[in-house]
């Protein structure tokens, strides 16, 4: 059975990779929509099955060398499959409005589909990386395809956002790479070859091995990866890229890519803690998390375009994830686990709703949406579910996850830190609820969708997101004592 | 790598950060990359173990990246060089201050020549300053390349460098990133009429 699981794990990135190649075949341009939808469904189901299987094995991990098939890999495979699969399947609706007919449009659709599927394929590989160097390479590889996608519309704002994203994240990852080299130079790694950077072998280092240089290397790795994860204060690209990218791409960037970078940070923290000590990471990541919350909250109070609002919400939620990783105990680990899953379901729905929202209410691209209830019931429901869940309003699983992360901070002895986190989250909650009150009721703006089929893709996405949020919520409070949580902390 | 070569690479980085023309800066970074590649092959390095695979990859990267950036310069020629907010001398001073600060902050290591460690950190600082202070968008790519060259200097100078697989991957990834950045250059010029980063300030909250 384990061989079958390994095959499935290879198929997870393999399916979108093959589909990306298929898009390049001459004559495939006419069938791009079918390729996107078919890959979204098949690749999404394969990823979901693989992720669920891995999670069902509990703390039982496979690999342990340059690749690892463990509970975090299972969770992130599930998340990436759901978000990227949904985004691929919903892309034809975006492309229908974004590209006109003709040869140029066919080339643009091929370009979009190839880049999106290649991005998905690389991203789907990252959770299985059991090696710091390999993980870095894969994260860097996600940058090229996703930068092209951010700038897909070709407008001035999109080019500005894509350029900022490309340069800032590449510079950040270059700093992280220097950190990895310094780690090798410091003597923390043992042996030679690719295996010397395996998380499993880094974990074998004794306290103090590598001295101060190892600690400096760890700081450079975390700070460098923070630029890619969109954590403050190196988050400048995030609001621009998320708001300017096509909505299906924004969904992958926010709900899948950012948390997946955080997974690499999590694995690094867990592997290097024996050598450099937990306190360094607790202070560094805790500070980064709190800074992200503090930067995001004022923007959640300001009226702004729907996608830009979601982008600042991503900054807030990445802050919660950073604090959870920093605390390194079972409450916080369970909180991060729930938060990643719940945030993915809610945030992806929010971005998916942006395609019809911008079609029927174009002004939502410049200012907050309004009168959604009178505009369309599905659109209003999607925005309510997305923003309501992101606010942490019970029974959203994010309420439970934020509670668990705060409990983790208290358990770690950081009571004042937990209090500040709670206050910032409460302020963010009020801001998001205010957005809901402004957007849903009120006078209609824009034009109502016509035809029964117009909103069917969003109806399906909304139903799936609700099911996912319900399942994650049901799991929330059982997780701190589950065997799975031990694996999340490297004890599996 | 010999101490002289390391510091010569740092001087080339400083030069790339202060020259006015993009083409001159591209040439200086290309020479820097070539020297590091040759040093990895054991040519002119003044000692050290030759690393043929990494060396060839670094040389190939130097050639490919220089060609791509040269192409970008040719495709995005503008009537006059893009001015900067600070004079070249001030840019140079900021770079030197950043170099001093980074070297002071990062502790010494047990397993590498201090010169290489300091040289690599100096290139990190210089690259970051170039990316932040120079207004022509191509300089931001050059800043990234200077940082990557700093990484290579440290990696080649220790008893244990990066695993070869990772080193090859880094070179490949970097070439792809530069290719995408070059593709952006023409599109930025087409949309904004200039490749001055100051023109790209439309997205503000």
């Amino acid at each position: 059975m384990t061989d079958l699981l390994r095959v499935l794990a290879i198929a997870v990135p393999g399916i979108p990779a093959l589909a990306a190649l298929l898009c390049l075949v001459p004559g495939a341009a006419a069938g791009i929509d079918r390729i996107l939808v078919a890959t979204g469904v098949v690749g999404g189901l394969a990823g979901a099955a693989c992720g669920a299987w891995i999670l069902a094995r509990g703390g039982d991990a496979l690999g342990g060398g340059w690749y690892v098939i463990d509970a975090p890999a299972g969770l992130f495979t599930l998340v990436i499959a759901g978000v990227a699969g949904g985004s691929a399947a919903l892309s034809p609706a975006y492309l229908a409005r974004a590209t006109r007919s003709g040869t140029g449009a066919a080339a643009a659709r091929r370009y979009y589909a190839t880049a999106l599927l290649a991005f998905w394929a690389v991203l789907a590989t990252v959770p299985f990386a059991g090696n710091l160097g390999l993980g870095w390479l894969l994260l860097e590889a996600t940058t090229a395809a996703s930068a092209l996608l951010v700038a897909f519309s070709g407008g001035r704002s999109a080019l500005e956002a894509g350029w900022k994203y490309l340069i800032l994240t590449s510079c950040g990852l270059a700093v992280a790479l220097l950190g990895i080299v310094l780690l090798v130079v410091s003597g923390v790694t043992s042996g030679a070859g690719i295996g010397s950077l395996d998380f499993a072998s880094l974990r074998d280092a004794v306290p103090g091995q590598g001295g101060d240089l190892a600690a400096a290397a760890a700081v450079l790795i975390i700070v460098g990866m923070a630029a890619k994860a969109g954590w403050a204060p190196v988050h400048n690209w995030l609001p621009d890229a998320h708001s300017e990218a096509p909505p299906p791409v924004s969904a992958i960037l926010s709900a899948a890519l950012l948390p997946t970078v955080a997974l690499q940070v999590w694995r690094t923290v867990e592997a290097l803690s024996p050598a450099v000590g937990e306190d360094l990471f607790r202070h560094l990541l805790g500070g980064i998390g709190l800074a992200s919350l503090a930067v995001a909250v004022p923007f959640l109070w300001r009226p702004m375009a729907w996608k830009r609002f979601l982008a600042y919400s991503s900054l807030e939620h990445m802050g919660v994830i950073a604090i959870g990783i920093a605390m390194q105990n079972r409450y916080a680990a369970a909180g991060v686990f729930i938060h990643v899953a719940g945030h993915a379901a809610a945030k992806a729905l929010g971005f998916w709703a942006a395609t019809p929202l911008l079609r029927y209410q174009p002004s939502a691209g410049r200012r907050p949406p309004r009168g959604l209830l009178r505009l369309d019931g599905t659109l209003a429901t999607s925005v309510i579910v997305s923003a309501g869940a992101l606010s942490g309003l019970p029974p959203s699983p994010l309420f439970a996850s934020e509670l668990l992360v705060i409990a983790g901070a208290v358990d770690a002895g950081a009571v004042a830190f937990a209090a500040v986190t709670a206050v910032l989250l409460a302020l963010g909650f009020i801001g998001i609820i205010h957005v809901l009150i402004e957007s849903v009721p009120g006078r209609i703006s824009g034009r109502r969708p016509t035809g029964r089929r117009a909103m069917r893709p969003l109806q399906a996405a909304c139903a799936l997101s609700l099911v996912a949020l319900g399942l994650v919520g049901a799991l929330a409070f059982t997780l701190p004592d589950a065997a799975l949580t031990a694996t999340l902390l490297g004890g599996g | 790598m010999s101490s002289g070569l390391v510091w010569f690479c740092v001087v080339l980085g400083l030069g790339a950060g202060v020259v006015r023309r993009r083409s001159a800066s591209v040439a200086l970074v290309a020479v820097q990359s070539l020297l590091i590649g040759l040093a990895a092959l054991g040519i002119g390095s003044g000692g050290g173990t030759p690393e043929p695979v990494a060396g060839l990859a670094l040389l190939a990267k130097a050639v490919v990246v220089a060609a791509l950036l040269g192409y970008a310069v040719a495709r995005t020629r503008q009537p006059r060089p893009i001015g900067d907010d600070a004079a070249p001398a001030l840019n140079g001073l900021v770079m030197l201050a950043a170099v001093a600060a980074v070297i002071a902050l990062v502790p010494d290591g047990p397993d590498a020549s201090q010169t290489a460690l300091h040289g690599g950190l100096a290139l990190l600082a210089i690259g970051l300053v170039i990316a932040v202070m120079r207004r022509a968008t191509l300089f931001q790519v050059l800043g990234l390349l200077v940082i990557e060259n700093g990484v290579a200097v440290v990696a080649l100078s220790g008893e244990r460098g990066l695993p070869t697989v990772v080193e090859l991957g880094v070179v490949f990834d970097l070439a792809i990133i530069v290719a995408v950045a070059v593709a952006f250059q023409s599109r930025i010029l087409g949309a904004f009429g200039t490749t001055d980063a100051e023109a790209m300030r439309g997205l503000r909250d």
Side-chain angles (χ1 to χ4, degrees):
Chain A
M1 288 297 273
T2 54
D3 285 344
L4 190 59
L5 182 56
R6 283 193 177 95
V7 171
L8 192 56
I10 293 168
V12 168
I15 291 168
L18 282 174
L21 291 175
L22 187 61
C23 291
L24 297 173
V25 173
I32 286 294
D33 284 2
R34 278 192 290 264
I35 293 174
L36 281 168
V37 173
T39 311
V41 173
V42 176
L45 286 175
C50 182
W53 189 352
I54 296 168
L55 288 174
R57 291 165 53 87
D60 205 4
L62 289 174
W66 63 269
Y67 79 93
V68 61
I69 301 176
D70 58 0
L75 168 70
F76 281 81
T77 298
L78 201 55
V79 163
I80 293 167
V83 175
S87 286
L90 293 170
S91 283
Y94 163 75
L95 289 172
R97 308 301 302 175
T99 56
R100 295 187 176 85
S101 56
T103 319
R109 294 166 84 86
R110 184 204 292 263
Y111 162 86
Y112 173 93
T114 308
L116 182 100
L117 295 170
F119 176 33
W120 175 6
V122 179
L123 186 60
T125 317
V126 179
F128 297 113
N131 180 285
L132 183 56
L134 185 63
W136 184 93
L137 288 175
L138 292 169
L139 288 181
E140 178 81 321
T142 61
T143 303
S146 50
L148 289 171
L149 287 166
V150 170
F152 175 72
S153 76
R156 288 168 66 119
S157 300
L159 281 171
E160 181 183 337
W163 180 258
K164 248 189 218 176
Y165 170 66
L166 180 71
I167 295 300
L168 290 176
T169 57
S170 296
C171 283
L173 285 176
V175 171
L177 181 64
L178 182 63
I180 295 171
V181 173
L182 290 183
L183 202 62
V184 175
V185 167
S186 74
V188 165
T189 58
S190 53
I194 184 80
S196 61
L197 287 172
D198 286 350
F199 291 118
S201 60
L202 289 173
R203 218 174 282 139
D204 292 337
V206 296
Q209 189 177 336
D212 291 342
L213 188 59
V219 171
L220 287 175
I221 293 170
I222 301 300
V223 170
M225 286 195 183
K228 179 80 178 176
W231 277 321
V234 278
H235 66 285
N236 299 48
W237 65 268
L238 189 152
D240 300 343
H242 284 35
S243 60
E244 296 304 322
V249 176
S250 303
I252 303 178
L253 287 175
S254 174
L257 175 67
L258 301 186
T260 305
V261 181
L263 170 66
Q264 283 303 301
V265 171
W266 199 357
R267 289 198 192 278
T268 306
V269 166
E270 187 265 315
L272 292 181
S273 283
V276 302
E278 289 184 359
D279 282 352
L280 171 76
F281 293 117
R282 186 163 294 156
H283 294 136
L284 181 63
L285 270 172
I288 285 173
L290 214 52
S292 300
L293 279 174
V295 169
V297 166
F299 289 100
L300 296 177
W301 280 63
R302 286 174 54 175
M304 60 174 65
W306 173 245
K307 284 181 69 197
R308 209 160 175 85
F309 159 76
L310 289 178
Y312 280 108
S313 158
S314 297
L315 181 58
E316 183 202 19
H317 290 288
M318 286 306 293
V320 174
I321 289 170
I323 292 169
I325 295 172
M327 295 309 149
Q328 298 185 67
N329 56 42
R330 63 196 173 103
Y331 296 112
V336 171
F337 193 97
I338 297 296
H339 207 85
V340 166
H343 171 257
K347 188 58 69 65
L349 178 63
F351 279 117
W352 291 335
T355 298
L357 174 65
L358 294 174
R359 179 178 176 188
Y360 297 111
Q361 194 180 92
S363 63
R366 300 183 303 278
R367 55 171 187 257
R370 58 185 61 176
L372 293 180
L373 208 53
R374 293 199 172 123
L375 184 71
D376 181 74
T378 306
L379 204 47
T381 307
S382 300
V383 167
I384 292 169
V385 170
S386 174
L390 290 171
S391 73
L393 186 71
S396 163
L398 298 191
F399 172 74
S401 62
E402 287 167 1
L403 215 56
L404 284 167
V405 167
I406 291 169
V410 172
D411 193 49
V415 178
F417 190 89
V420 176
T421 303
V423 169
L424 287 170
L425 286 172
L427 290 171
F429 169 80
I430 295 168
I432 298 176
I433 294 300
H434 182 249
V435 168
L436 268 178
I437 293 169
E438 290 283 305
S439 303
V440 176
R443 278 171 40 189
I444 189 168
S445 167
R447 62 184 176 89
R448 286 198 177 91
T450 50
R452 283 183 171 182
R453 298 176 62 184
M455 301 303 284
R456 274 202 189 146
L458 187 60
Q459 283 168 355
C462 188
L464 285 174
S465 294
L466 270 171
V467 170
L469 286 167
L471 285 174
V472 176
L475 188 71
F477 290 104
T478 62
L479 207 55
D481 293 320
L484 205 66
T485 311
T487 319
L488 300 173
L489 293 165
Chain B
M1 286 175 77
S2 68
S3 299
L5 185 57
V6 169
W7 289 116
F8 185 58
C9 286
V10 173
V11 171
L12 287 172
L14 283 168
V18 296
V19 293
R20 227 171 140 223
R21 293 198 165 271
R22 297 178 304 166
S23 50
S25 191
V26 168
L28 289 171
V29 174
V31 170
Q32 190 187 53
S33 305
L34 282 171
L35 287 175
I36 292 168
L38 288 171
L41 288 172
I43 302 167
S45 63
T49 316
E51 295 187 36
V53 178
L56 287 173
L58 287 167
L59 277 180
K61 180 204 83 176
V63 172
V64 169
V65 165
L68 284 169
L69 292 176
Y71 173 75
V73 171
R75 283 286 303 269
T76 58
R77 283 205 191 284
Q78 285 148 84
R80 60 177 70 92
I82 294 163
D84 284 293
D85 296 327
L90 183 59
N91 276 337
L93 280 175
V94 172
M95 280 189 248
L96 288 174
V99 167
V102 170
I103 290 176
L105 277 172
V106 176
D108 294 342
D111 182 31
S113 95
Q114 289 307 306
T115 308
L117 186 59
H118 289 166
L121 290 168
L123 289 173
L124 166 76
I126 291 167
L128 287 174
V129 172
I130 292 174
V132 171
M133 291 196 69
R134 298 302 302 265
R135 281 175 34 180
T137 47
L138 197 74
F139 275 103
Q140 294 169 347
V141 186
L142 289 166
L144 172 67
L145 289 170
V146 170
I147 298 173
E148 295 272 0
N149 281 343
V151 174
V153 165
V154 182
L156 291 170
S157 302
E159 279 177 24
R160 286 177 301 167
L162 276 179
T164 307
V165 177
V166 177
E167 236 172 304
L168 290 175
V170 169
V171 169
F172 179 73
D173 271 358
L174 187 66
I176 299 286
I177 292 289
V178 172
V180 171
V182 167
F184 263 92
Q185 288 291 301
S186 302
R187 294 177 71 187
I188 288 171
L189 182 64
F192 292 90
T194 174
T195 56
D196 186 346
E198 279 296 301
M200 298 200 295
R201 286 176 173 264
L203 295 168
R204 292 284 166 102
D205 287 311

